[in-house]
Amino acid sequence: DSGVTQTPKHLITATGQRVTLRCSPRSGDLSVYWYQQSLDQGLQFLIQYYNGEERAKGNILERFSAQQFPDLHSELNLSSLELGDSALYFCASSVGLIQDTQYFGPGTRLTVL
Amino acid sequence: GENVEQHPSTLSVQEGDSAVIKCTYSDSASNYFPWYKQELGKRPQLIIDIRSNVGEKKDQRIAVTLNKTAKHFSLHITETQPEDSAVYFCAAPSGGGADGLTFGKGTHLIIQP
């Protein structure tokens, strides 16, 4: 157990819908990262937040957005869902902003039908 | 941004033999290189990492070497055991002053009994 928690574990929804994934970082960690893992794209970095502020963007679609709240938990919002958004979404956390070990949560498996 | 290439995509070795996985990266400013192990349907787990002020790091049966001049780093697993069977990912910072990771495509390591 890494200490990073994610809910829900599984999510099944339809095309065009909107979902919210939730992540709680390890106690004391200020950075939260979101990653998407799919068979064709591999493990891709989406976005990083540090102490409530967005710090880096990766391959995140405009239909996706995230935020980090004052208690440091984070939410990833996915809207206008498409079949290709079906994937495992991981959250990771680390203590600092750069070069710190990232600990991954158990992931949320999203299926878009 | 950073580009990470990983080889081979599949590696089959006899139990007790050694396994070597190699990665190259493109951004000469990168200076943190973690390796993750992922079992089917589970979260990526950090197994070892190396920073650019060292050339080699060992942890029991696992070692990582780094060649900054050639921009490549390798994972070495000795005395392989059945529980080493998994997908292994190398990674490097995506750049831009923050810390999302760019991952290689992964190596499926199969330990033959």
Side-chain angles (χ1 to χ4, degrees):
Chain A
D1 185 359
S2 65
V4 180
T5 61
Q6 289 187 247
T7 57
K9 287 184 76 171
H10 302 278
L11 200 48
I12 301 174
T13 188
T15 54
Q17 295 298 303
R18 172 189 168 94
V19 297
T20 297
L21 313 183
R22 183 188 168 104
C23 167
S24 292
R26 295 185 322 150
S27 176
D29 284 0
L30 298 179
S31 271
V32 169
Y33 312 78
W34 286 98
Y35 293 88
Q36 179 194 59
Q37 186 174 36
S38 62
L39 279 175
D40 53 342
Q41 296 292 328
L43 196 52
Q44 286 199 100
F45 166 61
L46 297 179
I47 197 164
Q48 176 193 12
Y49 278 81
Y50 176 78
N51 204 21
E53 293 190 8
E54 181 187 306
R55 293 309 299 258
K57 270 187 170 180
N59 299 317
I60 189 166
L61 300 172
E62 284 194 15
R63 301 183 284 108
F64 296 1
S65 65
Q67 52 185 327
Q68 186 179 28
F69 295 86
D71 67 352
L72 300 177
H73 91 271
S74 178
E75 292 181 356
L76 179 67
N77 301 296
L78 315 176
S79 61
S80 302
L81 285 167
E82 302 175 0
L83 296 177
D85 298 327
S86 295
L88 257 175
Y89 290 84
F90 288 105
C91 163
S93 73
S94 70
V95 173
L97 181 59
I98 59 172
Q99 292 191 60
D100 279 338
T101 300
Q102 295 184 27
Y103 296 92
F104 280 72
T108 293
R109 181 172 293 281
L110 173 67
T111 303
V112 182
L113 301 175
Chain B
E2 179 67 276
N3 182 46
V4 177
E5 301 279 343
Q6 182 172 348
H7 301 279
S9 57
T10 304
L11 179 59
S12 181
V13 301
Q14 292 291 320
E15 183 178 348
D17 287 350
S18 296
V20 180
I21 302 170
K22 299 183 179 183
C23 289
T24 60
Y25 61 98
S26 60
D27 187 353
S28 56
S30 289
N31 47 18
Y32 172 63
F33 306 93
W35 285 88
Y36 285 85
K37 175 184 179 182
Q38 187 179 30
E39 297 174 359
L40 191 62
K42 301 283 183 65
R43 63 187 174 92
Q45 287 187 276
L46 180 80
I47 55 171
I48 196 167
D49 57 16
I50 191 167
R51 290 176 168 79
S52 62
N53 56 338
V54 297
E56 182 175 1
K57 183 177 177 181
K58 284 179 111 171
D59 183 3
Q60 299 183 345
R61 297 185 296 110
I62 294 172
V64 56
T65 58
L66 171 64
N67 183 328
K68 284 224 77 181
T69 303
K71 291 191 280 188
H72 68 70
F73 56 113
S74 300
L75 178 72
H76 305 253
I77 305 175
T78 58
E79 300 171 18
T80 52
Q81 300 169 4
E83 54 264 36
D84 295 330
S85 294
V87 179
Y88 291 80
F89 293 94
C90 61
S94 299
D99 208 22
L101 294 172
T102 297
F103 284 85
K105 293 290 188 190
T107 296
H108 185 193
L109 177 62
I110 301 164
I111 308 301
Q112 304 277 6

